[in-house]
Amino acid sequence: MTRLSYRSVFVSDVHLGYASCRADYLLDFLRSLRCERLYLVGDIVDLENMAKRPYWNARHGEVVAEILALAARGTRVTYIPGNHDAPLRCLAGQRIAGIEFALNAVHVGADGRRYRVSHGDEFDAHCATPRWLLRLGDSLQGFVCAVNRRCNALLRLLGWHYRPLSILLKTRVGAAFRFIREFEQRVADDARAGGFDGHICGHIHYARLHDHDGVVYLNDGDWVEHCTGLVEHHDGTFELLHWTEQRLTLARHEASAPVSMPLPVAA
């Protein structure tokens, strides 16, 4: 099988151990590529959900096996735990089965630009959000994921392509859209203050590339609702991919060029 060749690949918010995880699409994505660097940008294994509602199937195990196989073939794999796999943060600085664990990383692109890489949950601390509201948000997220899973099962029976229905809510509900934009601005401001050219993260399940006055915000999305990953080509160009039965380029950030704005995943 001919594999797609990239310099670096970034995936986050896989949530293995959660019923709505689209491990099938991620497995196809991982088996279709070769890369020098693979960054696992948090919430790869949903330890938080597994403590409440244990769930695992063969596809989830196959994703883990494929990641280990990539490391064995020479890909440098860095695992940056997020808030749902936070217990793994105690492994920072260690290397296990070819996988390096870190709290964050600095990625130097092929064009020399420097990007901070982190899960992104650290930027939640800037919001004085009541704990009850966070719990309500988690419950609503679970409900939306369950609806998305059932609707897409029906679409598949009808012979239609996968559609991330939750993106319609996130872009049309004012409070959700404001949260996304404010989160993005905080991340970009922090990157600028740290002297970075950009910041690569996940966490909010909303893939996006955007230039904030010279500082690039890159969110690789998730594999629960939207099935997106971020890849870096060998010339330093970044590309945001949607990967299901229908594979799309959502946005591109050309090396040393302005960022292309993303297209709606559901289009």
Side-chain angles (χ1 to χ4, degrees):
M1 179 181 68
T2 302
R3 294 175 180 257
L4 300 171
S5 178
Y6 299 112
R7 183 172 183 265
S8 306
V9 175
F10 304 79
V11 297
S12 73
D13 299 275
V14 177
H15 293 275
L16 297 171
Y18 181 49
S20 292
C21 165
R22 295 313 309 245
D24 49 345
Y25 294 135
L26 176 59
L27 187 61
D28 183 57
F29 175 68
L30 293 174
R31 287 175 172 172
S32 300
L33 60 83
R34 290 188 296 109
C35 59
E36 298 172 17
R37 293 293 307 263
L38 171 62
Y39 290 89
L40 304 173
V41 195
D43 289 1
I44 304 303
V45 180
D46 197 333
L47 299 177
E48 183 177 294
N49 180 74
M50 290 178 69
K52 301 173 185 175
R53 294 173 294 276
Y55 179 88
W56 196 266
N57 67 26
R59 287 293 190 188
H60 293 210
E62 288 176 47
V63 168
V64 174
E66 187 60 31
I67 291 171
L68 293 173
L70 284 166
R73 289 196 293 267
T75 295
R76 183 177 174 185
V77 181
T78 301
Y79 192 141
I80 300 171
N83 53 304
H84 282 261
D85 46 13
L88 298 181
R89 286 174 172 164
C90 68
L91 300 177
Q94 299 187 45
R95 182 184 177 92
I96 301 173
I99 298 175
E100 303 169 12
F101 287 82
L103 299 180
N104 54 65
V106 175
H107 176 74
V108 180
D111 58 358
R113 295 189 186 187
R114 297 172 67 251
Y115 302 87
R116 185 169 181 264
V117 186
S118 72
H119 179 60
D121 61 300
E122 66 270 29
F123 295 100
D124 285 347
H126 293 265
C127 301
T129 306
R131 186 175 296 275
W132 69 266
L133 189 55
L134 292 174
R135 288 198 296 267
L136 177 60
D138 287 342
S139 297
L140 290 174
Q141 175 77 10
F143 173 75
V144 169
C145 288
V147 171
N148 187 67
R149 186 169 70 246
R150 287 167 174 76
C151 286
N152 274 287
L154 177 60
L155 292 177
R156 175 171 285 186
L157 288 175
L158 296 173
W160 293 359
H161 292 304
Y162 177 89
R163 290 179 178 271
L165 304 178
S166 61
I167 200 170
L168 300 175
L169 296 175
K170 291 183 179 181
T171 55
R172 286 166 173 77
V173 175
F177 195 69
R178 281 195 304 275
F179 171 82
I180 290 169
R181 290 294 176 263
E182 289 170 1
F183 176 88
E184 179 180 320
Q185 189 64 57
R186 287 194 299 273
V187 173
D189 289 346
D190 185 79
R192 181 178 290 104
F196 294 101
D197 296 294
H199 192 122
I200 300 168
C201 64
H203 184 49
I204 61 171
H205 293 209
Y206 190 84
R208 180 167 160 84
L209 271 65
H210 187 64
D211 190 308
H212 287 260
D213 297 322
V215 173
V216 187
Y217 169 86
L218 306 98
N219 194 305
D220 57 21
D222 67 279
W223 293 87
V224 174
E225 303 160 80
H226 307 121
C227 303
T228 53
L230 179 70
V231 300
E232 180 198 9
H233 293 269
H234 294 281
D235 65 350
T237 294
F238 280 91
E239 186 175 8
L240 189 59
L241 302 176
H242 168 67
W243 195 279
T244 57
E245 298 91 353
Q246 186 178 24
R247 301 168 189 176
L248 302 172
T249 294
L250 303 179
R252 287 176 65 89
H253 173 208
E254 302 291 343
S256 304
V259 177
S260 301
M261 294 302 292
L263 300 173
V265 178

